[in-house]
């Protein structure tokens, strides 16, 4: 028997791709290809290996940036959530980073870090880290006080309260922030390739647009969206395995 959630996801995908095919056949624009044409271009790029060469370039700053954002972001978010003074000192920085227009900052990053890997990693971190930090901090602050007081009454030490109470209670919101951060990181990686140097998937998008090969352009865009969705589903599966039975968090104290 097919899982109902999977069936609904397949139905949702069929509706979106069907609407895409219809819109391409109308056509809404000469620059908007059909879904089948785009998938044909994606299959062609897969068999000639160009899509794999592109992702070898794209994944380097993306993986490094997300790894840095995850470790530093969760650690900083925990510290902000546990310390009021640290929150006053550092939380505004990440709020500003989240609100700042990244496209306007890229020329400054290029002047400071050049057009190599460092600037692209920095773009990914700017996009991903604020969401992770702020969500983690909010999750820690919203941990039910009754649970912490109960642990203290049983003479639990601070590190035991952190590992056994705060982290399990905050895990759903932390993983939500991680998923949002990863999504933002994918956006940052492609934006860096479009604005700094046309490499990887960004190069396919830019070049295909310049020669009016719109099926290839949309195929490259679709591939990065598909990869992001697969990665987010992987994070969801990891959350379910690590914190089984605590996926919804706590409603109240």
């Amino acid at each position: 028997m097919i899982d109902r959630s999977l069936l609904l996801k397949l139905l949702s995908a069929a509706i979106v791709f069907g609407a895409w095919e219809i819109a391409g056949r109308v056509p809404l624009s000469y620059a908007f290809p059909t879904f089948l044409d785009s998938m044909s271009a994606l299959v062609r790029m897969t068999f000639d290996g160009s899509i794999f060469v592109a992702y070898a370039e794209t994944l380097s700053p993306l993986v490094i940036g997300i790894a840095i954002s995850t470790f530093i972001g969760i650690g900083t978010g925990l510290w902000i959530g546990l310390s009021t003074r640290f929150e006053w000192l550092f939380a505004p920085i990440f709020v500003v980073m989240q609100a700042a227009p990244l496209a306007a900052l890229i020329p400054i990053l290029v002047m400071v870090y050049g057009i190599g890997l460092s600037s692209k990693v920095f773009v990914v971190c700017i996009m991903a880290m604020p969401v992770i930090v702020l969500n983690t901090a909010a999750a820690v602050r919203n941990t039910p006080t009754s649970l912490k007081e109960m642990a203290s009454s049983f003479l639990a030490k601070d590190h035991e309260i952190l590992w056994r109470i705060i982290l399990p209670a905050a895990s759903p919101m932390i993983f939500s922030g991680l998923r949002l951060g990863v999504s933002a990181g994918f956006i940052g990686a492609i934006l860096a390739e479009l604005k700094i140097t046309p490499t990887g998937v960004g190069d396919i998008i830019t070049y295909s647009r310049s020669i009016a090969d719109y099926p290839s352009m949309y195929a490259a865009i679709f591939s990065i969206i598909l990869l992001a969705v697969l990665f987010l589903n992987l994070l969801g599966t990891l959350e379910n395995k690590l914190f089984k039975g605590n996926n919804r968090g706590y409603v109240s104290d």
Side-chain angles (χ1 to χ4, degrees):
M1 184 175 179
I2 300 178
D3 182 67
R4 183 179 179 183
S5 63
L6 177 60
L7 184 61
L8 291 175
K9 290 178 182 179
L10 293 175
L11 179 61
S12 175
I15 293 173
V16 172
F17 298 151
W20 181 354
E21 181 70 20
I22 293 172
R25 290 182 180 276
V26 169
L28 291 180
S29 168
Y30 75 93
F32 190 81
T34 65
F35 173 72
L36 293 178
D37 287 340
S38 300
M39 293 305 99
S40 297
L42 182 59
V43 170
R44 174 176 50 78
M45 288 189 291
T46 301
F47 279 104
D48 65 22
S50 58
I51 194 72
F52 299 110
V53 174
Y55 271 105
E57 291 281 343
T58 299
L59 289 179
S60 295
L62 178 62
V63 171
I64 296 173
I66 287 178
I68 293 173
S69 299
T70 298
F71 288 105
I72 296 180
I74 292 179
T76 305
L78 289 174
W79 201 351
I80 290 174
L82 294 171
S83 172
T84 303
R85 293 181 179 179
F86 200 77
E87 177 185 1
W88 291 344
L89 184 61
F90 288 100
I93 297 175
F94 294 100
V95 172
V96 171
M97 286 175 61
Q98 189 175 26
L102 181 60
L105 296 177
I106 287 180
I108 300 176
L109 296 177
V110 171
M111 286 191 297
V112 175
Y113 296 102
I115 60 174
L117 180 64
S118 299
S119 58
K120 294 179 182 179
V121 170
F122 207 88
V123 170
V124 174
C125 290
I126 289 178
M127 291 290 291
M129 194 178 298
V131 182
I132 297 174
V133 170
L134 296 176
N135 270 51
T136 301
V140 172
R141 286 196 301 269
N142 292 328
T143 300
T145 304
S146 60
L147 294 178
K148 292 185 286 186
E149 291 176 348
M150 179 186 67
S152 297
S153 68
F154 282 98
L155 303 180
K157 298 179 181 179
D158 290 342
H159 70 274
E160 292 176 329
I161 294 176
L162 175 62
W163 287 104
R164 295 176 180 272
I165 302 296
I166 295 177
L167 283 179
S171 64
M173 196 167 179
I174 291 175
F175 267 83
S176 295
L178 188 57
R179 285 193 292 267
L180 292 173
V182 169
S183 300
F186 273 88
I187 296 172
I190 299 302
L191 185 61
E193 290 185 335
L194 293 175
K195 295 292 185 178
I196 298 176
T197 50
T199 56
V201 179
D203 185 34
I204 293 179
I205 295 172
T206 303
Y207 178 73
S208 299
R209 182 180 59 187
S210 67
I211 63 172
D213 183 7
Y214 296 112
S216 295
M217 183 182 77
Y218 279 87
I221 296 172
F222 175 81
S223 70
I224 195 70
I225 294 174
L226 180 62
L227 181 62
V229 170
L230 292 175
F231 195 83
L232 293 177
N233 284 331
L234 180 62
L235 282 178
T237 302
L238 179 62
E239 179 186 2
N240 291 335
K241 289 186 178 297
L242 290 177
F243 304 102
K244 188 175 182 180
N246 190 35
N247 295 333
R248 299 299 178 185
Y250 294 90
V251 176
S252 66
D253 290 349

